[in-house]
Amino acid sequence: MIIWLASYPKSGNTWVRAFLSSILYTKQGINDFSTLYKIQQFPRKEHFENLVDNFQDPKKICENWKNAQDRINLDNKIKLLKTHHVLCKIDNFEFTDNSNSLGVIYIVRDPRTVLLSIKHHFGMKDFDESRNFIINENIWLGINKSEKYKNRANKVPTLISSWRVNYLSWKNKIQNSLIVRYEDLLSNPQTEFFKITKFMEKLMNRKFEEEKINNAIKSTSFQALQKLEERGLFTEQGQGAKFFNSGPNSDWKSQLDKNIFDEINLKFKNEMLELGYL
């Protein structure tokens, strides 16, 4: 069964993935990115091999979401998969369901800060472009026609939709769900990562040592991740210069034009109020 690490892009998914790979796949819980690959992204080409002939055809990929996940689950083991995909249904084909999914950890981040990070990650020319990106409900990654936003490691169509639709699509739709705010991970990592660990312990029916958890929290602090990236140990950068760029120093108030953040506040008002961003 699959436990999803789901989020809109640039919302902390890789951070949580680094933490979980450290407590799951290292002896002492110390992150050096060497086990990050053990939590793969979905969808990827390898998941659809022998299922589709054209990995760039969204229709064929959608038709085989369940087939690909059925195959992943053949060994009856619990595994974690990262995704930015919206939890949707297209032509009666669901992205996933409770028959293949044991639970989800959804990481959410203030969309005004996401807007800054998206601009850097994709090398966008201005904030208008990144604003248009996060409000567009038909944004696909990994398709040749949208080469600018192509995920080179993926190369399979991934519908991320808008910040709002992505969040709402996953909210309480899988039987076991945990929503984590990126801002809480920054301000109180001890509490939030222990909350994530308790959720995983329940789903996996296992216990993690407190020392190992503390080592993972320390070695995946934002500053520690930046240092590892500077040493060349992280290789999942986007088109920007750094992946772990500003983190806690992302200040949308000083960088965004008032018209842009007013528009974001209006379009995402209900969700931002619900999450405590307004």
Side-chain angles (χ1 to χ4, degrees), residues 191-207:
T191 297
E192 294 304 307
F193 279 117
F194 265 89
K195 183 192 299 183
I196 290 171
T197 304
K198 291 297 182 184
F199 181 75
M200 292 294 296
E201 287 179 338
K202 177 183 176 182
L203 294 186
M204 302 184 74
N205 192 29
R206 60 176 291 186
K207 188 76 174 176

Side-chain angles (χ1 to χ4, degrees), residues 23 46 60 73 79-80 101 108 213 225 227 235 248 268:
I23 64 170
E46 63 200 69
K60 293 298 183 183
N73 283 323
K79 65 275 298 173
L80 279 77
S101 302
V108 64
I213 299 169
L225 296 177
K227 290 179 180 178
T235 58
F268 300 147

Side-chain angles (χ1 to χ4, degrees), residues 133-197:
F133 184 97
I134 72 169
I135 67 176
N136 188 338
E137 296 185 1
N138 194 37
I139 285 287
W140 288 80
L141 301 181
I143 299 181
N144 285 334
K145 66 181 180 181
S146 58
E147 184 71 25
K148 180 182 291 188
Y149 309 130
K150 192 170 181 180
N151 182 333
R152 288 168 293 176
N154 187 1
K155 297 182 181 177
V156 172
T158 300
L159 177 60
I160 65 169
S161 193
S162 69
W163 177 90
R164 172 183 174 274
V165 170
N166 196 292
Y167 164 64
L168 290 178
S169 75
W170 284 95
K171 179 187 171 187
N172 300 324
K173 299 294 175 60
I174 300 296
Q175 56 191 341
N176 298 297
S177 301
L178 177 66
I179 295 176
V180 179
R181 294 196 330 161
Y182 176 91
E183 294 76 16
D184 295 332
L185 288 172
L186 284 174
S187 64
N188 201 345
Q190 199 78 7
T191 297
E192 294 304 307
F193 279 117
F194 265 89
K195 183 192 299 183
I196 290 171
T197 304

